[in-house]
Amino acid sequence: MADAYATEVNKLEKLRAAWLPAVEFLFGEAVEEAKFDGFEVWDDIAKPSAVFEHADEPYRYKIHMPARVFSNDVMLLADVIQEMVRGQYPVGYEGAKVPALCEGVAVFGAVTAIKQVFGEESVDSYLNALKEQAFPYYDAFSYVAVLLAEDPQAIKKLRGVQPFLYKVEKADFETAQVEIDRKIKDILLLAFRA
């Protein structure tokens, strides 16, 4: 990472610090094993990603952010929030397949933040763009929105049973006392395909 990106990294750190309490309020604290090592800004990547480099600390990660994200404040906020939410239950060094539930929760967090900062019009614009350009994320978000409309504490309850959200199984819904239509539950637990 070049020194030229120090200002951008500082901006990312400030965004993360400001929004972490809200993310924890909505979805619970990060798993105990998670360790965030900071942000790096890269010119040659298209989208943000968590990078796990330590086999001995499998949930230790840093987030690589594309330099282009700084040209759009809405996307910057959305990308940071999505990666923060994923960081509450990181996939780890070995990687893991994630269900629609995980990606839907990440997008739900981003939409919530956009609404708070930029208003309803920006949310509509963001969701329309998502629907057109990345429908699987929009679809996952829609089902998570239904889940959270039924039970605003559903994610925290599920993570109380299984802190790593991508490991949640059908039985965990019952254990966590999260009531949701079986079809929606099945869709949320399907492997996410972007």
Side-chain angles (χ1 to χ4, degrees):
M1 181 182 68
D3 288 338
Y5 291 126
T7 302
E8 283 87 351
V9 168
N10 189 40
K11 185 174 185 176
L12 293 168
E13 294 289 356
K14 285 182 178 178
L15 267 175
R16 184 177 187 278
W19 283 95
L20 189 57
V23 167
E24 289 176 341
F25 175 78
L26 287 172
F27 308 123
E29 293 183 9
V31 293
E32 189 177 315
E33 301 90 337
K35 182 171 190 261
F36 177 62
D37 279 342
F39 292 97
E40 290 183 2
V41 178
W42 293 77
D43 285 321
D44 59 348
I45 60 173
K47 64 181 191 171
S49 64
V51 178
F52 301 89
E53 300 173 320
H54 305 277
D56 60 328
E57 293 181 85
Y59 301 105
R60 180 178 175 183
Y61 68 101
K62 55 186 150 190
I63 297 173
H64 287 181
M65 294 292 286
R68 65 169 181 73
V69 79
F70 291 93
S71 64
N72 181 323
D73 287 342
V74 173
M75 285 309 299
L76 175 64
L77 180 61
D79 286 351
V80 169
I81 297 296
Q82 284 180 17
E83 291 303 323
M84 282 176 60
V85 171
R86 291 180 186 116
Q88 302 306 91
Y89 43 86
V91 295
Y93 184 80
E94 296 294 323
K97 290 188 177 177
V98 296
L101 176 64
C102 290
E103 294 305 324
V105 170
V107 175
F108 189 92
V111 168
T112 302
I114 291 167
K115 186 176 182 179
Q116 287 286 117
V117 175
F118 299 104
E120 202 68 51
E121 194 173 300
S122 291
V123 167
D124 292 344
S125 177
Y126 177 77
L127 289 175
N128 286 335
L130 208 57
K131 193 186 301 185
E132 291 171 16
Q133 298 166 17
F135 186 77
Y137 290 94
Y138 176 84
D139 195 42
F141 160 77
S142 298
Y143 286 103
V144 167
V146 169
L147 171 67
L148 291 173
E150 293 283 324
D151 183 350
Q153 297 295 310
I155 303 306
K156 286 171 112 173
K157 288 178 181 178
L158 288 168
R159 290 194 63 227
V161 172
Q162 175 46 262
F164 288 94
L165 196 58
Y166 56 86
K167 293 181 180 180
V168 166
E169 297 176 352
K170 281 184 189 179
D172 296 329
F173 281 82
E174 189 174 320
T175 304
Q177 298 181 337
V178 173
E179 302 286 328
I180 191 72
D181 181 87
R182 183 187 58 80
K183 182 180 176 187
I184 292 173
K185 187 188 319 176
D186 290 346
I187 292 168
L188 287 171
L189 294 177
L190 287 174
F192 182 76
R193 289 181 177 84

